[in-house]
């Protein structure tokens, strides 16, 4: 199965709004100069750089070597690490994550690594896709693939939990959730939804032979148009955000964590 590929130039063109909107998550983090911060899923490093410029000691991690190279070019310490395989030990005052956790489909492994990466009393602050995120786009992809005899279920690379589900997960992995909320945030796109699909929905598109992909994308765009494009031709993605703050308690966690091998 084709993996999602990340291209920093395409990302900057089609998805610059991701880090622009992520500024609100930085505000929620309320970073202080001198704090050690892990940016989990740092992408091209835009927000890691903002934290660095605010005087924090930042390490960015991302599974994409291309995005990590882009992050390093901005002057931040960034490393190629899969979020399911964090190996830090009580090194950070905070773990921060914007628009990345929905790509990590084994959240137990991620939470276990984040917990270990934080010092006792440290905080985990982030935002990602919540339940119902991009539902119109996902339905259009599923229906257009079904029309071609393909079941999209195993191609779906995203984890979009409900607030109560994520609250329970945080608790199970030893965190104290301070806030977990899901809210709708329709998000303007730079053009129509074509660029978004080509940037983020590669698993679905690449399940088809090369020569069939263009027509498929055109069809998905048309399936989305009635819900996502207004009378003036402006497109909005139907984003739903899950925003959270949680802490690693000072005392040893009394919670017995399930085996993470299957998480
Ligand atoms: C999001 O930020 O919600 C998102 C981005 C790309 C794919 C899926 C979701």
């Amino acid at each position: 199965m084709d993996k999602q590929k990340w291209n920093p130039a395409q990302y900057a063109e089609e998805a610059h709004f991701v880090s622009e909107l992520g500024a609100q998550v930085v505000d929620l983090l309320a970073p202080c100069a001198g704090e050690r911060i892990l940016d989990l899923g740092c992408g091209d490093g835009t927000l890691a750089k903002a934290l660095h410029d605010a005087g924090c000691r930042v390490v960015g991690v991302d599974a994409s070597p291309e995005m990590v190279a882009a992050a390093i070019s901005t002057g931040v310490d960034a490393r190629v690490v899969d979020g399911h395989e964090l190996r830090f030990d009580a090194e950070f005052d905070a773990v921060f994550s914007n628009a990345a956790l929905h790509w990590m489909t084994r959240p137990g492994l991620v939470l276990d690594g984040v917990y270990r990466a934080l010092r006792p009393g440290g905080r985990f602050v982030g935002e990602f896709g919540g339940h119902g995120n991009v539902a119109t786009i996902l339905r259009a992809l599923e229906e257009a693939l079904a029309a071609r005899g393909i079941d999209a279920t195993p191609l779906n690379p995203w984890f979009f939990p409900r607030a109560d589900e994520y609250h329970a997960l945080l608790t199970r992995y030893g965190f104290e959730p301070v806030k977990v909320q899901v809210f709708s945030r329709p998000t303007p796109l730079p053009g129509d939804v074509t660029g978004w699909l080509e940037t983020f929905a590669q698993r679905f598109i690449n399940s088809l032979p090369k020569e069939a992909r263009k027509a498929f994308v055109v069809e998905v765009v048309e399936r989305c148009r009635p819900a996502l494009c207004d009378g003036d031709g402006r497109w909005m993605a139907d984003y739903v955000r899950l925003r959270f703050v949680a802490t690693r308690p000072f005392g040893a966690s009394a919670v017995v964590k399930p085996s993470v091998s299957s998480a």
Side-chain angles (χ1 to χ4, degrees):
M1 198 179 296
D2 264 12
K3 270 183 75 178
Q4 165 77 29
K5 293 196 183 73
W6 295 98
N7 172 335
Q10 181 188 29
Y11 191 85
E13 172 104 11
E14 300 295 344
H16 49 84
F17 60 85
V18 173
S19 45
E20 285 159 18
L21 294 165
Q24 294 170 18
V25 194
V26 173
D27 289 346
L28 188 64
L29 174 70
C32 296
E35 280 194 308
R36 300 159 300 167
I37 297 184
L38 176 66
D39 182 350
L40 173 54
C42 66
D44 63 9
T46 305
L47 295 175
K49 174 82 164 72
L51 293 169
H52 170 86
D53 291 348
C56 301
R57 287 140 63 194
V58 186
V59 176
V61 292
D62 201 284
S64 160
E66 293 80 8
M67 295 303 255
V68 166
I72 290 171
S73 76
T74 73
V76 301
D77 175 355
R79 307 172 193 175
V80 181
V81 178
D82 185 319
H84 299 96
E85 295 168 7
L86 299 176
R87 297 286 179 264
F88 300 101
D89 187 15
E91 288 165 51
F92 294 100
D93 299 301
V95 176
F96 167 82
S97 186
N98 180 55
L101 291 167
H102 46 247
W103 293 101
M104 302 174 205
T105 53
R106 286 164 296 154
L109 289 175
V110 177
L111 291 174
D112 203 51
V114 170
Y115 184 95
R116 276 186 281 109
L118 284 170
R119 63 158 172 84
R123 61 203 191 279
F124 181 29
V125 177
E127 183 180 296
F128 64 108
H131 186 69
N133 194 37
V134 295
T136 301
I137 300 174
L138 188 53
R139 196 176 326 112
L141 287 161
E142 287 168 351
E143 289 176 357
L145 282 177
R148 290 158 175 78
I150 297 174
D151 175 13
T153 313
L155 301 172
N156 186 337
W158 303 316
F159 165 63
F160 298 143
R162 295 189 314 267
D164 61 337
E165 263 180 271
Y166 203 63
H167 189 287
L169 267 171
L170 286 164
T171 306
R172 192 185 317 153
Y173 282 85
F175 292 91
E176 276 176 6
V178 175
K179 130 186 185 149
V180 183
Q181 59 174 181
V182 166
F183 59 97
S184 169
R185 194 198 51 214
T187 299
L189 294 174
D192 68 17
V193 74
T194 305
W196 192 98
L197 293 167
E198 289 173 350
T199 307
F200 296 125
Q202 296 167 14
R203 286 280 297 279
F204 301 90
I205 297 170
N206 294 347
S207 69
L208 294 167
K210 275 206 171 62
E211 62 281 7
R213 293 177 189 171
K214 201 165 176 191
F216 172 73
V217 171
V218 169
E219 182 181 328
V220 173
V221 171
E222 290 315 311
R223 284 179 183 269
C224 290
R225 186 182 297 278
L228 301 186
C229 181
D230 71 13
D232 297 319
R234 283 187 298 255
W235 284 76
M236 292 268 189
D238 50 346
Y239 274 22
V240 174
R241 304 284 88 188
L242 189 154
R243 193 175 275 181
F244 66 92
V245 177
T247 57
R248 172 177 170 167
F250 280 102
S253 170
V255 178
V256 179
K257 295 177 200 167
S259 158
V260 292
S261 58
S262 58

